[in-house]
Amino acid sequence: MKTFKRLIKKLINRALISVGIDKKFLIKIIPKTSIDFLVIPLNLHCNLNCAYCNVFCPLISEEEYYEINHFDRDLKRLAEITKSEIKEIRLSGGELLLNKDINKYMVIVRKYFPKSLLCITTNGTLLLKMNEDFWNTCRDKKIKIIISKYPIKLDYENIIKKTNEYGIVLGYSYDDILKKDKNVYTMQISPLNFNGNEDERKNFLNCPKSGGACNCLYNGKIYPCSLPATIHIFNKYFNKSIPVSERDALDINNVKDIKEISEFLAKPIPFCKYCDIDRGSGGYKWKVSEKNIKEWT
């Protein structure tokens, strides 16, 4: 049996190479049997003003939320489709601690996904201002707090003390970057191409977000990355018209089963034509946004 499996693997690899697909991309194009990772933005406004923000927070003119009743319906439906089997769900923003109903959102997710690793991602600036109910909810619902480390002043000592007091797991994003230089952090974003003439297949295979790293649920739709979910913010601010088609997302109310979602996430979407992957997705030194279109192009 093992010899047969190795033979099949070799044949698949040869077939991929024959059509110009490196075997390292195999994981991206073969549909999975489950969703390993899903990020859900609870709101899109933020209290930081980061240049190159990949959900366009500096450009938001008014607060935008994932309406909580809609959120409840969507999580219930998603649990039905996946049988509550999602390995990790990460609640994010914007800065999600600006959402006054954050506790309710966390309770809703845990109700429908009792076994998932549930995390919240925050810039950490508001953590020490959160009330006791927040900390109790994080503890009781077994929620991990992940701080996205930016080169800003933050009272990590007291944050660690607080999480230890409540028995809450604390983690960090981008920690390895800042360990090299505490004052340097590079933002990750793919420049936009307004012409939409990129090779969507090539972009999909080379994009660091494809293959499940950035699956996103927002307002009842699943996207393979956050850009098509939030490009309306960019379009409105700069008076652009980068389109989002029906084929860029899946409406979970029209999905039959997990197989349909998995097959969707394992192939390019039309929006891929608007990302200039060849110019890279990193190397932009963190700074305060000037709301200049060049930050995203």
Side-chain angles (χ1 to χ4, degrees):
M1 181 60 72
K2 289 183 178 179
T3 302
F4 177 74
K5 287 183 177 179
R6 284 196 295 268
L7 176 61
I8 293 298
K9 186 176 181 180
K10 285 182 180 180
L11 291 173
I12 291 174
N13 288 338
R14 287 176 183 174
L16 289 170
I17 292 171
S18 70
V19 295
I21 299 175
D22 194 298
K23 62 182 180 181
K24 69 181 180 180
F25 298 125
L26 183 62
I27 192 173
K28 293 190 176 187
I29 63 173
I30 293 183
K32 299 179 180 179
T33 57
S34 62
I35 299 175
D36 290 336
F37 177 82
L38 185 68
V39 62
I40 310 176
L42 301 187
N43 51 271
L44 297 180
H45 56 289
C46 186
N47 59 346
L48 289 185
N49 191 31
C50 304
Y52 318 111
C53 175
N54 62 9
V55 289
F56 311 110
C57 293
L59 307 178
I60 293 177
S61 58
E62 57 187 24
E63 296 179 355
E64 182 174 333
Y65 295 92
Y66 198 143
E67 198 276 323
I68 194 163
N69 291 324
H70 191 176
F71 180 84
D72 191 304
R73 292 196 301 270
D74 290 346
L75 269 290
K76 180 180 180 182
R77 175 60 184 148
L78 190 61
E80 292 170 351
I81 298 169
T82 64
K83 296 180 171 56
S84 296
E85 295 289 341
I86 294 180
K87 185 175 181 180
E88 178 180 346
I89 296 175
R90 190 171 295 192
L91 303 180
S92 69
E95 173 48 50
L96 83 172
L97 296 187
L98 290 171
N99 193 318
K100 61 182 177 57
D101 291 323
I102 176 63
N103 294 356
K104 295 178 181 178
Y105 285 89
M106 293 191 292
V107 169
I108 288 171
V109 180
R110 185 52 81 203
K111 176 176 66 173
Y112 294 118
F113 292 89
K115 296 184 292 184
S116 299
L117 171 60
L118 178 53
C119 308
I120 61 172
T121 302
T122 172
N123 58 39
T125 56
L126 300 175
L127 274 174
L128 295 177
K129 297 179 180 179
M130 301 303 290
N131 60 31
E132 188 175 354
D133 287 343
F134 167 80
W135 294 102
N136 286 334
T137 301
C138 288
R139 178 196 61 207
D140 297 344
K141 301 304 176 183
K142 295 181 174 58
I143 293 167
K144 179 179 180 179
I145 296 175
I146 298 176
I147 297 177
S148 296
K149 278 193 171 181
Y150 299 109
I152 58 175
K153 188 176 181 180
L154 209 60
D155 188 354
Y156 287 104
E157 183 178 346
N158 277 316
I159 289 173
I160 292 171
K161 182 180 179 181
K162 193 77 171 180
T163 53
N164 286 341
E165 177 187 343
Y166 283 86
I168 297 167
V169 177
L170 178 65
Y172 304 98
S173 293
Y174 320 128
D175 195 29
D176 56 334
I177 298 173
L178 287 172
K179 279 180 179 176
K180 297 176 183 177
D181 187 334
K182 293 183 178 179
N183 298 310
V184 175
Y185 166 65
T186 54
M187 300 291 282
Q188 307 290 315
I189 187 171
S190 299
L192 295 170
N193 176 347
F194 297 146
N195 295 320
N197 56 5
E198 300 289 335
D199 184 330
E200 62 184 64
R201 176 176 169 273
K202 177 183 175 183
N203 275 357
F204 176 79
L205 292 174
N206 289 285
C207 178
K209 298 176 183 178
S210 63
C214 200
N215 298 333
C216 175
L217 172 70
Y218 191 60
N219 285 337
K221 295 182 178 181
I222 288 184
Y223 301 83
C225 79
S226 61
L227 287 178
T230 57
I231 194 65
H232 64 280
I233 298 169
F234 178 91
N235 282 340
K236 181 178 180 181
Y237 190 87
F238 291 115
N239 194 29
K240 297 296 180 180
S241 55
I242 297 178
V244 178
S245 73
E246 291 183 357
R247 294 192 295 120
D248 285 314
L250 273 186
D251 187 329
I252 60 174
N253 292 305
N254 297 328
V255 169
K256 295 179 294 185
D257 51 33
I258 186 64
K259 180 181 178 183
E260 188 174 345
I261 295 177
S262 298
E263 290 177 350
F264 169 74
L265 295 174
K267 59 186 178 182
I269 57 174
F271 193 90
C272 291
K273 295 183 294 186
Y274 293 89
C275 285
D276 192 347
I277 297 296
D278 285 343
R279 285 202 287 139
S281 61
Y284 302 94
K285 185 177 179 181
W286 187 91
K287 65 179 182 178
V288 173
S289 176
E290 297 175 357
K291 300 185 179 182
N292 189 319
I293 197 170
K294 292 181 179 180
E295 294 173 19
W296 292 275
T297 58

